[in-house]
């Protein structure tokens, strides 16, 4: 039967081959996935991996990236979310109910704490804070359901006693979730700490950082080894309509090939900067887990190795410098750009007032304003020059 041109344009007779061999996997973009017949429709099992029923539940493109992320991190199953924070929230909303208790480190990624405080106010979930360097401060009650871990901690980069904390959580039958963004699955294997196959239950990863590597894509993942946990997460993921763009997934997939090379390069550059920063008199403290002077260094040393310390280094300025001085310093940097996030090609800087960020007392942190450097892919000597110049500029009278 001859069809109208408009119809032919939609139901085009020419179909591209569905499988050829390419360097990158093919990209599927789908809301609708077409069922072959009613049998396929009524026999779909959307809660099973690799069952294709609707775009939000996954396509070959999202499953491919998920499998790769799970493998890099030492896990088995993966779910993707539209941002790292959304992946964190998926874990919180899946495992926390009214009356439960959740434990977070004092140096937890800030927006996770904000989300949990919101749950506390609205749903009566108790949020308890522990010192990541002192397992004794983690004192779960019978209501405790979830322990959040992060290694190294956000902004101040203390490496926690992961092994001690996980053992204690397991003894109390509490789920452990690690924000694995800093280690990216490369610095250590969170699903096998070597010792009696000690493992976290869940990892969350801001793919926005190292896996994307471009500073231009937002995405997150939740990885487990346990089928039951994965199914619970899968259901929550599905009923909340959490999904990611196939185009974004393909971009992250493409960047995975260079992730380890970038991670190593940025780790080494950060080490070079850390050593130089320690020699400058303007700073009373340089924070980097590979530095033996840093709190938690021994824990880093037990499970990570040189070149596996990510591209972050923070400094605390001498208390004689005012906040105005620190702003002056940040504004004078030219290669380091002022912005949140990390893991991209461009080095970033951010300034913080620690006093507003911590609940507990931390004797290992000196007084003064904190600046965090996120090392990009520039040559480290140029980055050192940039900081050197900005320090000189900071010390000049403002109107010069
Ligand atoms: C950036 C980041 C997140 C959140 O990722 P987004 O994709 O920006 O939402 C979570 N945890 C850590 C440690 C991060 O650095």
């Amino acid at each position: 039967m001859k069809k109208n041109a408009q119809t032919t344009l939609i139901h085009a007779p020419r179909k591209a081959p569905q499988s050829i061999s390419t360097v990158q996997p093919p990209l599927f973009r789908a809301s609708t996935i077409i069922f072959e017949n009613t049998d396929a429709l009524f026999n779909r099992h959307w809660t099973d991996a690799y069952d294709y029923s609707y775009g939000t539940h996954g396509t070959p493109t999202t499953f491919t990236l998920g499998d790769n992320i799970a493998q890099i991190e030492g896990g088995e199953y993966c779910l993707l979310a539209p941002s790292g924070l959304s992946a964190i929230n998926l874990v919180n909303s899946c495992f926390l109910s009214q009356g439960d208790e959740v434990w977070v480190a004092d140096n937890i990624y800030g927006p996770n704490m904000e989300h949990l405080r919101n749950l506390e106010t609205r749903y009566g979930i108790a949020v308890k804070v522990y010192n990541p360097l002192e397992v004794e401060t983690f004192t779960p009650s019978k209501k405790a359901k979830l322990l959040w871990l992060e290694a190294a901690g956000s902004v101040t980069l203390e490496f926690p006693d992961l092994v001690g904390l996980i053992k204690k959580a397991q003894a109390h039958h509490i789920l452990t979730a690690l924000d694995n963004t800093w280690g990216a699955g490369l610095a250590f294997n969170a699903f096998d700490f070597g010792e009696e196959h000690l493992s976290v239950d869940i990892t969350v990863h801001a793919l926005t950082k190292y896996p994307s590597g471009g500073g231009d894509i937002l995405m997150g993942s939740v990885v487990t080894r346990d089928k039951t946990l994965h199914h619970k997460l899968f259901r929550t993921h599905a009923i909340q309509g959490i999904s990611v763009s196939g185009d974004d997934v393909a971009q992250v997939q493409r960047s995975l090939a260079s992730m380890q090379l970038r991670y190593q390069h940025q780790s080494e550059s950060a080490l070079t900067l850390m050593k130089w920063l320690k020699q400058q008199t303007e700073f009373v403290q340089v924070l980097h887990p590979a530095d033996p002077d840093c709190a938690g260094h021994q824990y880093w040393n037990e499970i990570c190795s040189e070149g596996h310390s990510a591209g972050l280094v923070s400094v605390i300025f001498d208390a004689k410098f005012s906040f105005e001085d620190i702003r002056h310093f940040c504004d004078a940097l030219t290669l380091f750009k002022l912005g949140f996030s990390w893991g991209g090609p461009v080095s970033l800087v951010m300034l913080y007032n620690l006093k507003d960020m911590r609940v507990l007392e931390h004797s290992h942190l000196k007084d003064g304003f904190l600046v965090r450097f996120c090392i990009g892919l520039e040559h480290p000597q140029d980055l050192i020059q940039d900081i050197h110049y900005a320090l000189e500029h900071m010390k000049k009278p403002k109107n010069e």
Side-chain angles (χ1 to χ4, degrees), residues 81-88 107-112 150-155 179-182 204-209 217-220 312 340-342 372:
S83 67
L85 185 57
S86 161
I88 288 171
N107 57 6
I108 187 179
Y109 175 66
N112 187 1
E150 196 173 328
S154 268
V155 181
D179 185 325
N180 209 9
T181 307
W182 180 93
V204 161
H205 191 166
L207 306 183
T208 306
K209 309 292 166 55
I217 306 257
L218 289 156
M219 204 175 292
L312 303 175
F340 292 106
S341 200
W342 36 281
R372 183 181 74 177

Side-chain angles (χ1 to χ4, degrees), residues 129-336:
V129 178
Y130 68 92
N131 178 341
L133 299 165
E134 292 171 18
V135 178
E136 320 82 76
T137 61
F138 166 48
T139 52
S141 81
K142 288 212 160 50
K143 293 177 176 172
K145 289 282 156 57
L146 180 64
L147 169 68
W148 273 105
L149 302 157
E150 196 173 328
S154 268
V155 181
T156 40
L157 301 169
E158 298 92 345
F159 208 91
D161 180 2
L162 279 180
V163 170
L165 287 162
I166 297 165
K167 280 186 176 166
K168 186 156 179 181
Q170 288 183 349
H172 289 80
H173 307 288
I174 296 166
L175 277 180
T176 50
L178 171 83
D179 185 325
N180 209 9
T181 307
W182 180 93
L186 301 171
F188 57 88
N189 182 350
F191 290 97
D192 186 1
F193 287 99
E195 206 179 318
E196 302 144 34
H197 299 292
L198 194 73
S199 160
V200 297
D201 295 305
I202 300 156
T203 59
V204 161
H205 191 166
L207 306 183
T208 306
K209 309 292 166 55
Y210 290 111
S212 151
D216 55 351
I217 306 257
L218 289 156
M219 204 175 292
S221 60
V222 179
V223 169
T224 56
R225 285 195 69 83
D226 183 287
K227 205 166 189 163
T228 313
L229 286 180
H230 176 69
H231 268 271
K232 275 192 101 164
L233 285 159
F234 193 107
R235 272 208 87 86
T236 308
H237 186 265
I239 62 175
Q240 294 189 349
I242 296 171
S243 68
V244 293
S245 138
D247 293 277
D248 286 351
V249 170
Q251 299 263 21
V252 176
Q253 174 62 44
R254 190 173 186 275
S255 294
L256 286 188
S258 63
M259 178 166 83
Q260 185 162 1
L261 302 176
R262 290 183 279 107
Y263 190 89
Q264 271 170 2
H265 183 85
Q266 290 175 333
S267 288
E268 278 159 29
S269 293
L271 278 173
T272 305
L273 259 83
M274 178 265 277
K275 286 171 191 157
W276 180 83
L277 290 165
K278 283 190 77 172
Q279 291 163 4
Q280 310 310 307
T281 54
E282 291 84 354
F283 312 124
V284 286
Q285 227 173 343
V286 176
L287 306 171
H288 187 287
D291 177 8
D293 294 338
C294 269
H297 170 74
Q298 73 272 27
Y299 304 123
W300 173 84
N301 201 36
E302 278 166 18
I303 63 166
C304 302
S305 56
E306 199 88 352
H308 288 119
S309 48
L312 303 175
V313 54
S314 294
V315 293
I316 297 181
F317 274 84
D318 192 309
K320 76 179 179 208
F321 295 109
S322 67
F323 198 57
E324 278 302 302
D325 292 331
I326 311 304
R327 287 178 55 170
H328 208 47
F329 166 78
C330 291
D331 288 334
L333 291 162
T334 61
L335 293 178
F336 283 94

